[in-house]
Amino acid sequence: MPHHWKSLFLLLLQLLNLCSTKSQPFTSSSSSSNPHLQFPCKPPHHSSYPFCNNSLPIPTRAQSLISLLTLQEKIQQLSNSASAIPRLGIPPYEWWSESLHGIATNGPGVSFNGTIPSATSFPQVIVTAAAFNRTLWFSVGAAIAVEARAMYNFGQAGLTFWAPNINIFRDPRWGRGQETPGEDPMVASAYAVEFVKGFQGGGIRDGGLGARRVLESDESGDSLMLSACCKHFTAYDLESWRNFSRYSFNAVVSEQDLEDTYQPPFRSCIQQGKASCLMCSYNAVNGVPACAQKDLLDKARNEWGFKGYITSDCDAVATVFEYQNYTKSPEDAVADVLKAGTDIDCGTYLLRNTLSTIKQGKVQEEDIDKALLNLFSVQLRLGLFNGDPRKGKFGSLGAQDVCTSEHKTLALEAARQGIVLLKNDKKFLPLKRGVEFSLAVIGPLANNSSLLGGDYTGIPCNPKSPFEGLQEYSTRTSYVAGCQDVPCLSDAGFEKAIYAAKKADFVVIVVGIDASQEREDHDRVSLLLPGKQMALVSSVAAASKEPVILVLAGGGPLDVTFAKEDLRIASILWIGYPGEAGGRALAEVIFGDFNPGGRLPMTWYPESFTNVPMNDMNMRADPSLGYPGRTYRFYTGDRIYGFGHGLSYSSFTYNIVSAPKKLSLSKPFKVDLSRNVLHQPGDVLDHLHIDEVTSCESLRFLVEIAVKNNGDMDGGHSVMLFSRVPKVVKGVPVRQLIGFNRVYTVSNQYTTASILVDPCTHLSFADEHGERILPLGEHVLMVGDIQHFVSVEIN
């Protein structure tokens, strides 16, 4: 087994051992650090209530607790900062903790002011997504869970975390696109499933085709190590653009786009990931605020089988009245969100206005009881009412399980796999090791590790900047900022940078964007490098003895046409926000200790795309309006780098070894003639609605792909299988990803990748009515330059 893959496998086994810890007595070291840990059902005075009896069913325990509460006590539970109920021995609880790519400081539930001063900072999600590696995604979720539960045991975190962010990276200017798995709904769905399963402690991934071994044989799925939250439901991807704000934005979305772009990640997160929390977003969807949209939230619970609690985004209940003016009073807003199915308010609006809403007869106490049943049920599944958590299944987790060597190695592996090689003229990289040369590292992002974490970051264990990482490979390494900061409004530092470039044998320039350019509540207005960064790069490249290596940081796409076309810039690497191990990972790639295999999970558009209105939610192109569409599935314009682009120090060829040429749909199938009208004599049925196909499971097939590494280096490679479907109705995707598999390849040898294709899911798309259809006729499967034709027919 190759070294990097063996390491990942061993990390999974170690995570399994941590996650499956049996009940143990509370250690003296833990006891001395937090002797006054508060928890419900503490003996001897408060342990005899029925809700403390873990032999009873969870709904019974939850109903018992609700029945003991006064109306005022019930209302006090409807905030993220839930109040204590002293007479029942229930301490306060903070629902809001964050864990997007490591334990973060954003929510009030997390504190690093204690025994545990830091936690592993993994790459931002957009970088980890670029690895296209399901096993990696699961492992990161599981590692964060171990650290989160350890911090809970020390009173430094809660048990409910509001991650992952699985919105679609629809527009390159979006300040929070960095937090997501990218622009493809299939990738976002897969990431959601893996992260949530790993984080909630539902099992350990064995690799292969996704086998699972469930922890503690919990076949019911009720028990939770932690609670993950899929956010932001739905069609949320605008912070602040011109006169549009996320607090009042009305996302006008077609049924077609809603069904096959915006909703799939949430459906998968709930149905396959079994997420126990859903966060409704600030924005309205087609005129109705998301947190007050009953049909939207009902779909999650009733159609998708959601089992958990629904929280508003922070102050999203208040925005229903105060920003969106959707209701005539605060009480109407409270009534609308509670009756729609929102259970808890991140904020105080429900605390302040629910009693008056009840007095006005707009909601009943039973409406609150429904919300509390969902809230208490999740807390019970987490074991919050099972007595002293230090004596429970995860009670032995502590400071020794945070910032472990295994987790730091996993963070390094995630950064390695997520780095994308965009350009490498004449195989300029990797630089040769063992040859003594001087290296100049230039740029405002080259020597500040705090800028490389991205949104929702905590306090990392042992962060390393690109300059620090490169120093470990070359003792003759110098650093010059060039720009004072990322906005780079002055060229005062250019002279020193140019001088350093002239003196050095090789030059690495690290530029890009950071939180000053993209973040929550702040979208970009340009896709170009900020300020005078472009001039810095060009000036340094012109002065350097050899062509330079350009490293781009930041989550959002950049128009770097100038660098792509400049022969003095030999190589371009995208590192995104690579987390605490990013500096080391970058150095390993540059010096050839790791063969890059990352691929872009989003399209890089030209600067001209900023002329497209950001508030236009349509995915499909409309040539009559000059609208180019969005994402690789529908975009018809020019691009700097496409979705899935990523080079390697090796080259690869493919051969489809096994795949069917024909799929036969046998009658009978459930045809609804009102939806499949043949307008003229001789018309031929060209598609079926998915709910008419009775044999979806039997249609599934494996595509076996032989991958040959034609280079001199071993390395990981993500095989991506796309499809192009027959154009039977309006709005057919240009192409769409239907499967991916990261495999390890050996120099000059073949490796086989297997991808399972479910035609009802992967070869379908939504029609104009938002109903998924399976086109009949010839479908094209594509991997690299290879095509394979599959005919879908009715016998």
Side-chain angles (χ1 to χ4, degrees):
M1 185 181 291
H3 171 70
H4 292 299
W5 290 69
K6 183 177 181 180
S7 298
L8 189 55
F9 178 72
L10 291 174
L11 285 170
L12 279 167
L13 292 179
Q14 289 160 339
L15 287 169
L16 172 60
N17 291 332
L18 287 171
C19 291
S20 58
T21 304
K22 297 286 186 178
S23 299
Q24 297 179 11
F26 191 61
T27 62
S28 59
S29 61
S30 297
S31 180
S32 63
S33 63
N34 192 15
H36 304 295
L37 181 66
Q38 298 184 70
F39 53 89
C41 300
K42 182 181 290 188
H45 303 295
H46 299 292
S47 58
S48 60
Y49 297 111
F51 61 79
C52 297
N53 184 351
N54 60 15
S55 69
L56 295 175
I58 282 177
T60 302
R61 297 171 70 189
Q63 292 284 9
S64 170
L65 175 52
I66 293 168
S67 70
L68 297 174
L69 302 182
T70 66
L71 176 59
Q72 191 58 45
E73 287 171 337
K74 291 177 180 179
I75 292 173
Q76 292 300 311
Q77 298 299 305
L78 300 179
S79 167
N80 63 285
S81 299
S83 298
I85 309 171
R87 66 185 183 85
L88 299 179
I90 299 175
Y93 180 76
E94 179 55 64
W95 288 86
W96 180 9
S97 294
E98 298 282 358
S99 60
L100 184 69
H101 56 108
I103 310 304
T105 55
N106 299 68
V110 170
S111 170
F112 285 103
N113 185 21
T115 302
I116 301 174
S118 58
T120 310
S121 180
F122 293 91
Q124 183 59 283
V125 176
I126 195 71
V127 180
T128 307
F132 285 88
N133 186 340
R134 288 180 174 87
T135 303
L136 177 68
W137 300 341
F138 182 94
S139 302
V140 169
I144 296 172
V146 168
E147 299 198 350
R149 191 81 199 206
M151 290 184 69
Y152 169 75
N153 289 343
F154 281 78
Q156 292 182 239
L159 293 173
T160 46
F161 289 78
W162 292 349
N165 181 342
I166 53 172
N167 293 116
I168 296 299
F169 199 166
R170 173 188 63 93
D171 191 289
R173 292 162 285 186
W174 186 29
R176 300 185 73 178
Q178 58 174 293
E179 301 174 25
T180 76
E183 70 181 32
D184 182 77
M186 190 262 189
V187 174
S189 297
Y191 180 87
V193 171
E194 298 300 339
F195 181 89
V196 170
K197 280 184 173 290
F199 187 78
Q200 293 195 157
I204 190 72
R205 205 173 205 285
D206 296 327
L209 292 176
R212 299 286 193 274
R213 181 154 64 84
V214 178
L215 294 177
E216 301 297 319
S217 299
D218 180 19
E219 296 179 2
S220 69
D222 277 343
S223 179
L224 293 169
M225 180 179 180
L226 293 161
S227 171
C229 194
C230 303
K231 64 183 187 184
H232 311 80
F233 193 54
T234 189
Y236 167 73
D237 49 23
L238 180 148
E239 302 299 303
S240 179
W241 180 77
R242 296 187 180 175
N243 295 326
F244 296 94
S245 163
R246 64 177 180 164
Y247 305 110
S248 56
F249 179 56
N250 176 30
V252 179
V253 187
S254 70
E255 291 298 323
Q256 189 174 35
D257 289 337
L258 202 60
E259 170 59 30
D260 69 8
T261 296
Y262 295 106
Q263 296 291 61
F266 292 97
R267 182 167 56 239
S268 295
C269 198
I270 290 168
Q271 291 183 332
Q272 285 83 49
K274 307 298 182 185
S276 52
C277 169
L278 187 64
M279 178 185 285
C280 51
S281 53
Y282 289 115
N283 56 284
V285 181
N286 296 326
V288 182
C291 294
Q293 193 161 150
K294 182 173 173 55
D295 59 346
L296 181 69
L297 303 187
D298 278 352
K299 178 184 281 287
R301 286 202 186 277
N302 302 332
E303 187 176 323
W304 299 344
F306 174 61
K307 185 180 179 182
Y309 74 99
I310 298 176
T311 179
S312 74
D313 204 339
C314 293
D315 289 325
V317 176
T319 61
V320 172
F321 170 67
E322 295 183 0
Y323 281 83
Q324 297 173 353
N325 301 313
Y326 181 73
T327 61
K328 295 181 179 180
S329 69
E331 289 77 15
D332 287 335
V334 168
D336 281 358
V337 298
L338 286 174
K339 289 184 175 181
T342 301
D343 298 313
I344 194 170
D345 172 25
C346 177
T348 61
Y349 210 69
L350 289 182
L351 294 184
R352 292 183 281 117
N353 296 293
T354 299
L355 186 59
S356 59
T357 306
I358 291 174
K359 289 180 178 179
Q360 293 179 22
K362 293 178 178 179
V363 295
Q364 307 300 314
E365 190 169 352
E366 290 76 13
D367 295 313
I368 299 175
D369 290 349
K370 289 179 182 178
L372 294 181
L373 179 62
N374 294 326
L375 294 168
F376 290 145
S377 293
V378 169
Q379 289 184 326
L380 285 160
R381 293 170 64 192
L382 288 162
L384 196 61
F385 293 88
N386 289 351
D388 191 340
R390 297 165 297 188
K391 297 179 181 179
K393 186 171 21 176
F394 309 107
S396 67
L397 294 176
Q400 73 278 4
D401 301 302
V402 181
C403 289
T404 63
S405 59
E406 292 83 9
H407 290 177
K408 289 189 281 189
T409 299
L410 182 61
L412 174 60
E413 184 66 18
R416 288 167 174 157
Q417 293 192 23
I419 290 175
V420 181
L421 179 62
L422 298 173
K423 175 185 177 181
N424 197 28
D425 286 352
K426 299 178 181 178
K427 298 183 178 180
F428 188 79
L429 289 179
L431 299 181
K432 291 182 180 179
R433 295 199 62 182
V435 178
E436 188 65 26
F437 55 77
S438 60
L439 182 68
V441 184
I442 296 170
L445 287 163
N447 196 27
N448 190 337
S449 60
S450 66
L451 301 179
L452 299 180
D455 267 2
Y456 287 81
T457 296
I459 299 177
C461 311
N462 185 26
K464 199 174 291 290
S465 71
F467 173 59
E468 291 168 327
L470 290 165
Q471 274 185 308
E472 295 182 6
Y473 280 81
S474 175
T475 55
R476 296 170 57 202
T477 301
S478 61
Y479 161 71
V480 178
C483 297
Q484 181 178 356
D485 51 23
V486 170
C488 194
L489 300 178
S490 169
D491 60 5
F494 283 22
E495 186 176 344
K496 288 184 179 179
I498 292 170
Y499 179 78
K502 287 180 178 179
K503 300 287 288 184
D505 295 316
F506 292 98
V507 177
V508 177
I509 310 172
V510 188
V511 294
I513 52 182
D514 69 348
S516 68
Q517 309 297 309
E518 56 172 2
R519 63 183 183 275
E520 185 170 6
D521 222 5
H522 184 87
D523 294 320
R524 289 192 289 160
V525 295
S526 172
L527 303 182
L528 300 174
L529 288 171
K532 298 180 182 295
Q533 283 192 28
M534 188 189 309
L536 172 67
V537 173
S538 296
S539 299
V540 169
S544 176
K545 299 174 186 176
E546 297 284 345
V548 302
I549 301 160
L550 177 63
V551 177
L552 300 173
L558 292 162
D559 183 345
V560 287
T561 303
F562 81 99
K564 183 180 180 182
E565 297 175 351
D566 191 339
L567 297 179
R568 299 168 302 176
I569 300 172
S571 303
I572 305 176
L573 289 157
W574 176 72
I575 61 171
Y577 295 108
E580 66 174 58
R584 172 73 188 186
L586 174 64
E588 288 185 1
V589 169
I590 286 176
F591 282 92
D593 276 354
F594 189 85
N595 192 352
R599 290 172 174 256
L600 292 178
M602 69 294 200
T603 302
W604 282 31
Y605 302 84
E607 171 68 2
S608 59
F609 192 86
T610 58
N611 295 322
V612 176
M614 194 172 174
N615 62 308
D616 192 327
M617 302 294 290
N618 288 306
M619 301 302 297
R620 272 84 175 166
D622 188 342
S624 67
L625 298 176
Y627 184 71
R630 297 178 181 274
T631 79
Y632 81 96
R633 296 165 65 225
F634 304 106
Y635 178 61
T636 57
D638 296 330
R639 64 209 72 200
I640 310 304
Y641 293 111
F643 172 87
H645 176 76
L647 305 176
S648 167
Y649 296 150
S650 303
S651 61
F652 300 91
T653 52
Y654 305 101
N655 181 31
I656 295 180
V657 177
S658 175
K661 293 184 178 180
K662 185 171 79 169
L663 295 177
S664 296
L665 299 175
S666 301
K667 293 181 181 179
F669 47 83
K670 305 172 292 183
V671 176
D672 182 348
L673 294 178
S674 67
R675 294 192 295 174
N676 296 76
V677 178
L678 305 181
H679 297 285
Q680 300 292 334
D683 279 357
V684 177
L685 188 67
D686 57 12
H687 69 272
L688 290 177
H689 290 81
I690 292 301
D691 58 8
E692 297 170 346
V693 180
T694 58
S695 54
C696 280
E697 192 167 334
S698 65
L699 291 175
R700 294 174 183 171
F701 60 90
L702 275 174
V703 178
E704 300 282 347
I705 302 167
V707 185
K708 186 179 181 184
N709 180 336
N710 299 307
D712 297 326
M713 288 184 66
D714 301 348
H717 179 66
S718 294
V719 180
M720 303 176 73
L721 181 65
F722 293 87
S723 78
R724 186 169 63 242
V725 304
K727 296 182 179 180
V728 295
V729 298
K730 186 178 179 182
V732 174
V734 176
R735 62 181 179 130
Q736 58 187 13
L737 184 68
I738 62 172
F740 58 91
N741 191 355
R742 188 175 178 107
V743 296
Y744 194 88
T745 66
V746 177
S747 172
N748 293 306
Q749 292 187 24
Y750 281 98
T751 303
T752 300
S754 297
I755 293 175
L756 180 64
V757 178
D758 180 349
C760 289
T761 300
H762 300 137
L763 302 185
S764 68
F765 64 98
D767 66 12
E768 291 181 275
H769 305 290
E771 297 179 352
R772 294 200 76 92
I773 63 170
L774 176 62
L776 302 175
E778 198 166 66
H779 293 247
V780 185
L781 306 184
M782 301 170 286
V783 55
D785 296 327
I786 303 298
Q787 294 187 345
H788 177 85
F789 297 89
V790 180
S791 181
V792 179
E793 304 173 359
I794 297 175
N795 280 344

